[in-house]
Amino acid sequence: MASIRLENVSKYVCKKVNLKINDQELIVLLGPNGAGKTTLLNIIAGLIDYEGSVFFNGEKVDHLPPQQRRVGYLFQELNLFPHLTVEDNIAYGLRARNHSSEEIKKRMDELTKIMKLEAIVHYYPKELSGGEKQRVALARALANYPQILLLDEPMNSLDYQTSKHLRTEFRMMQRRLGITTIYVTHNFYETEEMADRIVVLNGGKVEQIGSYQEIFFHPKEAVNNFIGSPNILKCAAYRELGLGLAEVRCGDISLLVFGEGKRISEIVILPEDIYLSNSRPPGPDINRIKGRLVKIEELSSSMVYCTVNTREVSLKVKLSKEVFDSMRPKVDDEVWLILAPRKLKFITENNS
């Protein structure tokens, strides 16, 4: 496959970007809208002019047109041909490059098996679900034996369950094929199960590179402004409940978490992943915390930070201005928080 190196690459918002991506690595390019993520993909693919240099396996490719760079690209808009079947959509690029019928059949058999499309090869796009369309578009991007795969927010239009399932399948497929991959998203949680490393891009600059744990637990200041500074709670007591669940005691609050059989030392949750209510929420009394609102900060015209204290714990909550205004909470009000178990991350004593 291929390693990638960008040297002083500039175009639009991107200014002198330097980045190295290892052979067979899956890099997640993370950042807010307008950060320059798609611009970088287009530069690597050779779809736009740029300043600076791009290297594949140490060889400069600036002079190569897109069709000679051996890059597969899955755009945000899948752009499947509505008049072609699944089979013909996938094989389109192979036929355009005059591959033999035998080679096309061999590649089709391989890709439809990998992407689990054998049963729908004669369907048309209008007959497919969102997840099936995504698989077809990915198979088409892989058809011409690319050495590099670029994915621009490929799960953006899918519901949570479908997206999560496809991400798991794609990660297994990427490891099997050993293809160097850049996966663009603005959703921080997509990175946890996908990335070998995360590259955080903001304002056309690389702000931080690291593993999910490094970015989540130790974000640089500019990254904090994007993903939010996490709430970190020290765990004073830990008890396994079975079935993958554990109860942890953090100060005067108890939380249920999906444990891994290891003793948890710290619980971490982002401010935007805490639900705030000015009345007791309905439902089971799990991970519901009563506290007092002690501080309100308007981050911008659209976002508000609320600090909520119990007797021993302080938590920051990030709300949209619209949600905040609908509740109209005031300092010193009694409020309720919900900390969803699947949003809780943790550090165990073995990796703290």
Side-chain angles (χ1 to χ4, degrees):
M1 294 301 171
S3 61
I4 305 169
R5 188 168 87 250
L6 308 183
E7 285 190 358
N8 296 319
V9 164
S10 298
K11 182 70 174 183
Y12 305 135
V13 70
C14 295
K15 305 297 181 187
K16 296 189 180 299
V17 173
N18 293 282
L19 180 62
K20 292 181 180 179
I21 299 169
N22 300 321
D23 181 28
Q24 301 187 32
E25 189 172 26
L26 194 158
I27 285 285
V28 171
L29 198 56
L30 178 72
N33 292 332
K37 305 184 296 296
T38 299
T39 297
L40 277 190
L41 294 193
N42 290 337
I43 288 170
I44 292 168
L47 297 177
I48 55 176
D49 295 329
Y50 55 88
E51 297 176 5
S53 296
V54 177
F55 298 82
F56 294 169
N57 284 332
E59 298 290 329
K60 190 180 287 190
V61 297
D62 303 321
H63 62 288
L64 294 180
Q67 63 270 23
Q68 293 182 24
R69 292 197 181 193
R70 292 189 60 198
V71 171
Y73 199 148
L74 182 57
F75 298 89
Q76 286 189 47
E77 298 80 20
L78 302 180
N79 294 325
L80 296 177
F81 299 117
H83 62 293
L84 298 182
T85 64
V86 165
E87 182 178 27
D88 290 334
N89 263 283
I90 297 171
Y92 184 85
L94 293 168
R95 292 182 177 129
R97 296 190 182 189
N98 297 315
H99 286 266
S100 68
S101 298
E102 293 77 13
E103 178 62 28
I104 292 173
K105 184 180 185 310
K106 180 182 175 183
R107 188 60 169 163
M108 283 295 304
D109 289 345
E110 180 184 16
L111 287 173
T112 54
K113 183 177 181 181
I114 290 173
M115 302 307 298
K116 300 178 181 177
L117 298 170
E118 301 103 314
I120 59 170
V121 290
H122 300 302
Y123 286 31
Y124 288 88
K126 66 180 181 181
E127 301 173 287
L128 306 179
S129 68
E132 289 169 340
K133 290 177 182 177
Q134 209 75 30
R135 285 191 178 93
V136 174
L138 183 54
R140 187 175 63 181
L142 290 168
N144 273 309
Y145 305 93
Q147 59 181 344
I148 291 165
L149 182 61
L150 308 177
L151 302 149
D152 194 357
E153 304 207 44
M155 311 297 176
N156 203 30
S157 61
L158 302 177
D159 63 80
Y160 174 80
Q161 289 298 335
T162 303
S163 173
K164 183 173 178 62
H165 180 67
L166 280 180
R167 289 198 302 270
T168 302
E169 283 193 343
F170 171 74
R171 185 55 168 140
M172 292 171 62
M173 182 273 296
Q174 189 267 341
R175 285 174 174 155
R176 175 181 171 183
L177 296 177
I179 186 169
T180 307
T181 301
I182 304 177
Y183 182 107
V184 163
T185 184
H186 63 268
N187 183 337
F188 186 59
Y189 285 110
E190 283 191 13
T191 66
E192 181 180 11
E193 59 214 44
M194 297 289 290
D196 292 319
R197 288 188 299 154
I198 301 167
V199 176
V200 183
L201 195 70
N202 193 23
K205 291 174 52 183
V206 175
E207 298 287 3
Q208 190 172 355
I209 302 175
S211 67
Y212 174 84
Q213 291 239 344
E214 288 169 335
I215 302 296
F216 190 93
F217 294 116
H218 307 289
K220 293 183 178 179
E221 183 176 353
V223 178
N224 251 346
N225 295 335
F226 166 51
I227 66 171
S229 180
N231 294 288
I232 301 178
L233 306 176
K234 298 284 185 182
C235 299
Y238 168 85
R239 182 167 65 99
E240 289 191 36
L241 303 175
L243 300 176
L245 285 173
E247 181 184 23
V248 294
R249 186 82 179 173
C250 304
D252 61 334
I253 66 175
S254 291
L255 297 169
L256 285 184
V257 299
F258 296 114
E260 296 177 346
K262 300 176 183 177
R263 187 174 181 84
I264 295 170
S265 59
E266 292 178 324
I267 293 289
V268 185
I269 187 166
L270 292 173
E272 58 263 40
D273 289 331
I274 300 177
Y275 173 78
L276 183 145
S277 174
N278 48 11
S279 60
R280 186 186 182 101
D285 194 22
I286 296 174
N287 291 8
R288 280 153 168 74
I289 299 166
K290 183 169 69 173
R292 194 160 298 280
L293 182 58
V294 298
K295 190 176 183 181
I296 298 170
E297 304 170 80
E298 291 200 19
L299 299 178
S300 65
S301 59
S302 60
M303 300 303 300
V304 177
Y305 257 137
C306 294
T307 303
V308 177
N309 288 354
T310 66
R311 293 190 313 275
E312 300 177 24
V313 172
S314 182
L315 290 164
K316 278 200 168 184
V317 184
K318 189 177 181 182
L319 305 171
S320 70
K321 188 72 161 52
E322 182 180 6
V323 170
F324 179 84
D325 288 342
S326 69
M327 292 190 296
R328 298 183 180 177
K330 303 183 295 297
V331 169
D332 211 36
D333 278 0
E334 184 178 88
V335 294
W336 289 83
L337 305 178
I338 299 178
L339 283 65
R342 70 180 179 87
K343 295 292 188 179
L344 295 173
K345 308 301 175 185
F346 52 80
I347 301 176
T348 63
E349 291 187 349
N350 291 342
N351 65 14
S352 57

